[in-house]
């Protein structure tokens, strides 16, 4: 028979329901939280690992005085690889020793999973001085890209698969909040064992497992909240609208004004891409790299009226981003959108990915995010073991 405790203190309503919610929510989404946390953790140092493995392709041997034209390089890559899809874009580094990166990317929106949705995603490293292809990487099947899309949509169609991950992420946010409520010490005496492990006289694995869940969960919860909120920013428009309103007083980001090409009746200049590259280098000489679309479409497949060039201020980061708009026929500069003149909401929209991956805070941020990710990966496991231990204990009390 269970022993009665007549003098046992009554648990507060808040703690009681926090415990129930924490348990029910954890059991319902624990597996997805484990998968999403693990894939996100493994993805944190993607750039460092990938750049190390691709070092030979990233650099050219003997840079000449001037590179070949982008049109010539584009034709060389297209003829040699003979893909049925056109080249999507080229990314050019301001470092003359770095090779050009041409990319193929085409989507099928009707594909129900990642492998059917992405028709092609290839990255081609080219020596811009002689046109030699240094390496071709099939990003569709690369380890880190598959990790990314497991993290984003569990390899389901990205348009609706993001909700399969997004809903558990929202639930995880409630779990973090209820976890903090449950962790919060009732008095000074209880506070001693909440900030670190007191295992001097502890021999049972159950107590150690409980402390791992409790203490590590507390320290990780504040960073995990940031990571989770930046994650659902991608998935839910109303979350993005809330951020926009908070930062700039409007739920919508400023819409891009459609600029009509003044040279639309003029024949297309064969050197239009070189003209845009030349002007970009001149205007942003201290930037890291810039991207030029080559197929007349943006990443969503929408037709472009002009040539938008995206300039990245620092390698491996997307937060400091400038934009130039060029006429697609003559290559004349039509508009400039520097990072400094963006609204706070626009700046945050550019920075959200970097904050989510930790790169916004440099190497220290990545290390911190990696540790947080490891703890978040462990929480569903240690939490389940806490529950399982209690179930077994209750089963014995008959």
């Amino acid at each position: 028979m269970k022993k009665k405790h007549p003098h046992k203190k009554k648990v507060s309503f808040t703690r009681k329901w926090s415990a129930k919610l924490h348990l029910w929510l954890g059991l319902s989404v624990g597996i997805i939280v484990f998968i999403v946390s693990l894939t996100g953790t493994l993805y944190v140092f993607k750039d460092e690992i990938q750049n190390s493995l691709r070092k030979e392709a990233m650099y050219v041997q003997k840079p000449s005085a001037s590179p070949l034209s982008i049109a010539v390089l584009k034709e060389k890559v297209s003829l040699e690889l003979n893909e049925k899809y056109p080249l999507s874009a080229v990314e050019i580094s301001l470092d003359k020793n770095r090779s050009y990166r041409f990319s193929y990317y085409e989507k099928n929106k009707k594909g129900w999973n990642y492998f059917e949705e992405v028709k092609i995603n290839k990255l081609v490293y080219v020596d811009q001085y002689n046109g030699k292809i240094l390496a071709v990487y099939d990003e569709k099947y690369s380890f880190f890209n598959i990790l990314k899309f497991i993290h984003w949509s569990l390899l389901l169609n990205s348009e609706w698969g993001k909700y399969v991950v997004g809903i558990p992420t929202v639930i995880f946010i409630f779990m973090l909040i209820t976890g903090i409520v449950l962790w919060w010490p009732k008095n000074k005496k209880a506070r001693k064992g909440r900030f670190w492990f007191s295992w001097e006289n502890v021999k049972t694995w159950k107590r150690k497992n409980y402390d791992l869940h409790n203490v590590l969960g507390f320290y990780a919860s504040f960073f995990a909240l940031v990571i989770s909120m930046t994650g659902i920013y991608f998935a839910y428009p109303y979350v993005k609208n809330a951020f926009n309103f908070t930062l700039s007083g409007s739920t919508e980001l400023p819409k891009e004004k459609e600029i009509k090409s003044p040279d639309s009746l003029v024949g297309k200049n064969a050197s239009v891409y070189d003209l845009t590259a030349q002007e970009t280098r001149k205007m942003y000489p201290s930037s890291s790299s810039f991207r030029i679309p080559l197929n007349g479409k943006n990443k969503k497949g929408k037709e472009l009226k002009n040539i938008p060039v995206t300039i990245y201020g620092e390698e491996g980061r997307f937060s400091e981003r400038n934009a130039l708009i060029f006429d697609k026929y003559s290559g004349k500069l039509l508009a400039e959108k520097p990072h400094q003149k963006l609204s706070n909401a626009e700046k945050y929209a550019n920075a959200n990915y970097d904050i989510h991956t930790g790169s916004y805070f440099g190497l220290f941020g990545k290390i911190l995010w990696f540790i947080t990710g490891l703890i978040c990966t462990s929480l569903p496991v240690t939490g389940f073991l806490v529950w399982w231990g209690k179930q077994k204990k209750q089963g014995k009390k008959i």
Side-chain angles (χ1 to χ4, degrees), residues 219-262:
Y219 285 113
S221 58
F222 300 100
F223 301 110
L225 280 169
V226 174
I227 295 170
S228 299
M229 288 300 296
T230 53
I232 62 174
Y233 177 93
F234 292 117
Y236 296 106
Y238 64 83
V239 175
K240 188 177 290 186
N241 292 344
F243 271 81
N244 293 342
F245 185 79
T246 304
L247 294 168
S248 295
S250 173
T251 57
E252 298 290 334
L253 292 174
K255 290 185 178 180
E256 294 289 339
K257 293 180 180 179
E258 187 176 315
I259 305 171
K260 291 185 178 181
S261 174

Side-chain angles (χ1 to χ4, degrees), residues 127-193:
D127 186 328
Q128 61 269 33
Y129 301 103
N130 58 25
K132 181 184 176 183
I133 293 178
L134 302 174
V136 180
Y137 295 97
D138 194 341
E139 299 288 25
K140 179 178 178 177
Y141 299 102
S142 71
F143 173 73
F144 284 109
N145 225 36
I146 289 176
L147 270 184
K148 178 182 177 180
F149 280 91
I150 293 174
H151 183 77
W152 170 251
S153 63
L154 296 184
L155 292 181
L156 300 170
N157 179 288
S158 59
E159 289 300 313
W160 53 267
K162 62 185 178 183
Y163 299 114
V164 178
V165 169
I167 293 169
T169 304
V170 173
I171 293 173
F172 182 59
I173 290 171
F174 282 103
M175 289 174 63
L176 291 169
I177 295 168
T178 54
I180 293 170
V181 172
L182 293 171
W183 173 90
W184 205 263
K186 297 176 184 178
N187 49 51
K188 289 183 179 179
K189 187 178 179 181
R191 196 178 300 157
K192 291 181 180 179

Side-chain angles (χ1 to χ4, degrees), residues 56-76:
E56 289 187 11
M58 288 173 62
Y59 292 91
V60 295
Q61 293 290 334
K62 297 177 181 178
S64 305
S66 58
L68 298 173
S69 75
I70 295 172
V72 169
L73 293 171
K74 179 186 174 185
E75 188 176 358
K76 278 179 175 288

Side-chain angles (χ1 to χ4, degrees), residues 39-48 357 365-367 369-370:
T39 51
T41 304
L42 294 174
Y43 192 81
V44 168
F45 289 105
K46 170 244 179 186
D47 288 340
E48 287 77 5
T357 59
K366 285 194 169 190
I367 294 170
W369 258 226
F370 182 80

Side-chain angles (χ1 to χ4, degrees), residues 28 90 109 130 152 192 207 245 274 292 317 327 354 368 398:
S28 65
V90 60
K109 293 181 180 180
N130 58 25
W152 170 251
K192 291 181 180 179
R207 178 52 194 267
F245 185 79
D274 295 294
I292 303 174
R317 288 180 60 177
D327 186 283
D354 290 343
L368 186 59
I398 300 175

